[in-house]
Amino acid sequence: MAEICQRGMYKTFPRSGKNTSFTHYCPGCGHGIINKLIAEACEELGLQDRTIFVDPVGCGVFTYYYWDAAHISAAHGRASAVATGACRARPDAVTIAYQGDGDLGAIGFNNAFQAASRGENFGCIFVNNSLYGMTGGQMAPTTLEGETTTTTPFGRDPSLTGHPLHVCEVFAQLKAPVYIARVSVADTKRIMQAKQAIRKVFEIQRDRKGYALLEILAPCPTNFKMNALDAAAFCINEMEREFPLGVFREEGRGMGEEERGKGEEERGKGEEASVLSLRPVPHAASCHDLFLEKDAAPAAVDDPSFPERRFKFAGYGGQGILSLGLCIAEAARLERRHTLWFPSYGPEQRGGSANCSVVVSGTPIGSPAVEHPDVLVCMNQPAYERFAGDVKKGGIVIVDETVPVETRPPEGVRLVRWPAIRMAEEFGVPKAANTMMLAALKKLECTGLSDGSLEKSLVASFKKKPALGEKNRELLRKAEQTEF
Ligand SMILES: Cc1ncc(C[n+]2csc(CCOP(=O)(O)OP(=O)(O)O)c2C)c(N)n1
Ligand code: SF4
């Protein structure tokens, strides 16, 4: 493979056992642009040998594969705390913390805020894409009012979940920071401004002037459920309305009255800054959307005679394993059962491992965590090896027939091998392997839910593409004719 030489970056990235020259970011992701700008600034200023990057947990987790400098990985939300240690231990170094908005604005807010208040000698580059990217698009403190995320499927409602957090404006109340600014990477002009601001953060650290915070508005097309152009337009038209671009603190002095006034003016400029005009983001069909409209499924009703069932669905991202779990949860909702769906992801949005837990119960559910499932569905070998030993006695493991079953599940657990992937291919719809697995669950009667609800939920999962819904129903019925 040809090597792409990027300034300040390694020539190739030995990620996941492969030597690639591509990053793991989705097409159109702001992180990809920001990573490149940071690498360039570091190299142009001749600071690579002096720079310590503190890497986050979030979509930016793999920056140590990309930037050719020293790295320390911090636990989620702890980059500013780790950067404090690094810049104190190595005062000669240029220390840069890289954090997402979940990382800095939620779990790590106090770390970051106190470090800024102490005026630690590091630069914090804070990527605000208005949600938790890596874990599948949950609400972050920066989520806009009305914005649809997986945990605000009907739009963020401030009366329930508060208002968006303005990190720059809050940090600008502190005495110590020498530089606080907000930029964006949504178009070329903004990218050039972002580049200058990133250089400034490095220069401040090079000259040991103090704490600097740079917030960068960034598109996340995958979780906005938009193409790259629409995601960039969302950044400009919606995010900037809430988070105006600008400099909130210039070296050593607080934001004066003049600048404060300018900020307010900026806020009102152009389009009207009306909350009402912020429509919920129109998302395309996704495994993360609830299939059923808000009022389609009434609230759960207690029924102690319905035993609790715990499910685990596991495989690679892209195999529809999360949708399959959600299909069961939505079918349970249709039957007014208590239910929870709890997804879990690897760091890569595409092709990484994914699993979800589903609990269906006749009584309120205490915890969404499923450590010992009654039913385990595995689409690949790592999933089988990781979870098969945990299945409850009397439980069942359904595994795709392509998965080598080298170790047996525990005694008293039934193992069923099922040709989900092969059948989907033979039926001419390879993506429907998850529907084939649903057929196995139905045949084995292990959901406790009626055929009608399961089919209705399956069809509803394709609400934006009704023809596909009907096709999948047909394939489901066809697959059920197959003998074990
Ligand atoms: C202590 C801890 N809590 C939660 C998580 C799960 N987690 C990993 S990344 C992430 C959110 C990342 O979102 P953000 O910081 O906004 O970065 P993005 O992926 O959008 O760049 C969460 C909640 C974790 N890894 N560790
Ligand atoms: S999920 Fe979003 S933030 Fe994460 S890599 Fe993809 S586009 Fe970027």
Side-chain angles (χ1 to χ4, degrees), residues 43-202:
E43 193 263 356
E44 283 165 15
L45 293 166
L47 294 173
Q48 276 174 279
D49 291 343
R50 275 179 63 192
T51 298
I52 302 172
F53 286 111
V54 183
D55 307 317
V57 170
C59 281
V61 69
F62 286 151
T63 48
Y64 51 80
Y65 285 124
Y66 308 143
W67 297 325
D68 185 357
H71 288 263
I72 306 176
S73 285
H76 187 48
R78 301 298 180 266
S80 286
V82 174
T84 298
C87 70
R88 287 186 177 207
R90 294 296 303 266
D92 52 323
V94 165
T95 304
I96 304 288
Y98 188 79
Q99 302 196 247
D101 47 345
D103 188 275
L104 186 149
I107 187 169
F109 185 80
N110 194 36
N111 285 240
F113 189 67
Q114 300 294 350
S117 180
R118 293 190 304 267
E120 300 290 348
N121 278 304
F122 71 87
C124 180
I125 295 183
F126 161 51
V127 181
N128 175 0
N129 55 19
S130 83
L131 40 71
Y132 288 12
M134 189 181 103
T135 41
Q138 296 84 358
M139 190 194 87
T142 46
T143 297
L144 306 182
E145 291 174 22
E147 183 177 351
T148 310
T149 68
T150 54
T151 43
T152 56
F154 306 109
R156 182 176 188 175
D157 175 355
S159 68
L160 284 176
T161 50
H163 299 270
L165 177 69
H166 299 96
V167 171
C168 284
E169 287 84 341
V170 172
F171 279 39
Q173 304 308 311
L174 298 171
K175 277 190 178 167
V178 297
Y179 180 64
I180 300 177
R182 184 183 290 123
V183 292
S184 160
V185 287
D187 65 11
T188 315
K189 188 181 88 189
R190 287 168 170 80
I191 290 172
M192 298 322 287
Q193 287 164 348
K195 172 83 185 275
Q196 290 313 315
I198 289 170
R199 275 182 71 100
K200 194 166 179 91
V201 171
F202 274 92

Side-chain angles (χ1 to χ4, degrees), residues 30 222 300 402:
T222 300
T402 55

Side-chain angles (χ1 to χ4, degrees), residues 24-31 59 129 131 133-134 219-223 349:
H24 69 294
Y25 299 119
C26 311
C29 172
H31 277 294
C59 281
N129 55 19
L131 40 71
M134 189 181 103
C220 169
T222 300
N223 289 305
Q349 281 280 340

